[in-house]
Amino acid sequence: MSAAGVREAVTQAHHEEWARVVASLTRRFGDLDIAEEATAEAFAIAVERWPADGVPPNPGAWLTTTANRKAIDRIRRENKRDDKQKEAQLLHDDDDPPEPPGAIDDERLRLIFTCCHPALAMETRVALTLRMVAGLTVPEIARAFLVQETAMGQRITRAKAKIKAARIPYRVPSAEDLPARVSGVLAVLFLVFNEGYLATGPDTDPVRHDLTAEAIRLTRLIRALLPDDGEVAGLLALMLLTEARRTARVSASGELVTLVEQDRGTWDAGLIAEGHRLVRERLAAGEAPGRYQVLAAISAVHTSARDVRDTDWSQVVALYDQLVRLDPSPIIALNRAIAVAELDGPEVALAAVDRLEDKLAGYYLYHATRADLLRRLSRGQESRAAYDTAIELAGNTAEIAYLTRRRDQLG
């Protein structure tokens, strides 16, 4: 195999096997730190050996065996009485029969639920999931969220220590706890996706494909593990339909291109078809939809229109009415008002937006929405002031460029 072929095999193994190996070692050793370090070492050895020895017939088994040996080596080095006792048990465990089919997938699910445990802060859950489940390096995660590598490394180390100290169980939650815990996992993945879709840092790309792709990959994994969960399907559909528009969202000059102005011919037809199929499957299931399923349905209406003028705004508003009942947050109300502007006009929408001022005064999209509605109502001075506030609060470079141009067009 060529050097390029070996590199591709290592990359593919990293995508497909990282979480499996970490999960397998975590179950066996009961320690995320040992599991992570040994898995990373196993991949480092693969990078060294596979070019000379060839890619093994079963890369996952090779990596798991190598990582297990590295974990046992570490425990030996630590040379503590408790670990010596554990070592004897580990050596005995080497003779265990192979796991039945499907067990590894269960282990990955346990790993995800452990990383997304509600006892951990949200930012910690995100970092731990990207490291332990996705296999991103600490520098990659630090760059993604604009923090120092040392700070991110410490955050992950503290999280692993807390899981150990608090004895957070390494298991899939009980049936009664499962819906709430799945919701927590999906919130982590949605946060990762949104940071990629609309990066908040002033010195980073406005759209981070690495993060959106990773969030989609992990959501596909959850979907494979929980195929009957409607909200998992809904979130995957929402991500796919949003990702389909990625290349049309930022102009060559680095400015945000709104949904109204996007070249729909550049949208990814394959992702849209898959997203629409998931939405139809959930509708056919006849179950009451959750938040992500309704958001996906709204996105499906938008991506079904070949031209913005063909958008079924009455359907969009009706779906937002349904969503408000599920999630009566001010941001959902703001998005509903944007749709209302297309159906009932900017004056009706502005009245709805103004009622949200006390809750959204620090949110740039509140001011950007007001600015646009005031512009459409020919209230130029008020629109300019709203644009100024939105620009001051916005963190995404493409959005700042777009808002600045719109403000300057007021004359």
Side-chain angles (χ1 to χ4, degrees), residues 153-211:
Q154 288 165 359
R155 183 183 298 175
I156 292 171
T157 298
R158 284 195 300 268
K160 289 184 289 189
K162 180 168 184 176
I163 286 170
K164 196 171 185 178
R167 303 196 174 196
I168 290 173
Y170 184 63
R171 61 176 176 80
V172 175
S174 64
E176 60 185 18
D177 293 337
L178 192 59
R181 292 290 303 281
V182 170
S183 176
V185 170
L186 298 184
V188 169
L189 298 180
F190 196 34
L191 193 154
V192 173
F193 182 85
N194 281 335
E195 178 56 32
Y197 172 70
L198 202 65
T200 53
D203 300 318
T204 189
D205 290 337
V207 177
R208 295 284 309 280
H209 175 56
D210 55 337
L211 287 180

Side-chain angles (χ1 to χ4, degrees), residues 344-367:
D344 299 327
E347 194 164 356
V348 175
L350 183 61
V353 170
D354 283 345
R355 288 194 290 271
L356 302 170
E357 182 178 11
D358 60 329
K359 299 183 182 74
L360 295 178
Y363 184 47
Y364 78 98
L365 274 178
Y366 165 76
H367 298 283

Side-chain angles (χ1 to χ4, degrees), residues 371-409:
D372 183 62
L373 294 172
L374 289 163
R375 177 189 61 79
R376 290 163 67 176
L377 290 167
S378 301
R379 291 161 62 176
Q381 193 170 348
E382 292 171 89
S383 177
R384 175 178 290 277
Y387 274 124
D388 285 341
T389 306
I391 291 164
E392 189 178 325
L393 292 171
N396 182 273
T397 54
E399 288 203 309
I400 290 170
Y402 167 75
L403 293 168
T404 301
R405 178 175 65 82
R406 296 295 277 180
R407 179 196 63 190
D408 294 348
Q409 284 175 340

Side-chain angles (χ1 to χ4, degrees), residues 310-367:
D310 299 329
T311 305
D312 186 345
W313 289 107
S314 61
Q315 177 72 4
V316 172
V317 172
L319 286 165
Y320 270 118
D321 288 341
Q322 190 173 358
L323 186 57
V324 166
R325 290 193 290 273
L326 293 168
D327 179 9
S329 72
I331 290 176
I332 296 297
L334 178 67
N335 289 333
R336 180 187 180 278
I338 293 169
V340 165
E342 304 304 322
L343 195 64
D344 299 327
E347 194 164 356
V348 175
L350 183 61
V353 170
D354 283 345
R355 288 194 290 271
L356 302 170
E357 182 178 11
D358 60 329
K359 299 183 182 74
L360 295 178
Y363 184 47
Y364 78 98
L365 274 178
Y366 165 76
H367 298 283

Side-chain angles (χ1 to χ4, degrees), residues 1 90 222 253 285 361:
M1 185 181 287
L90 295 175
I222 300 286
S253 62

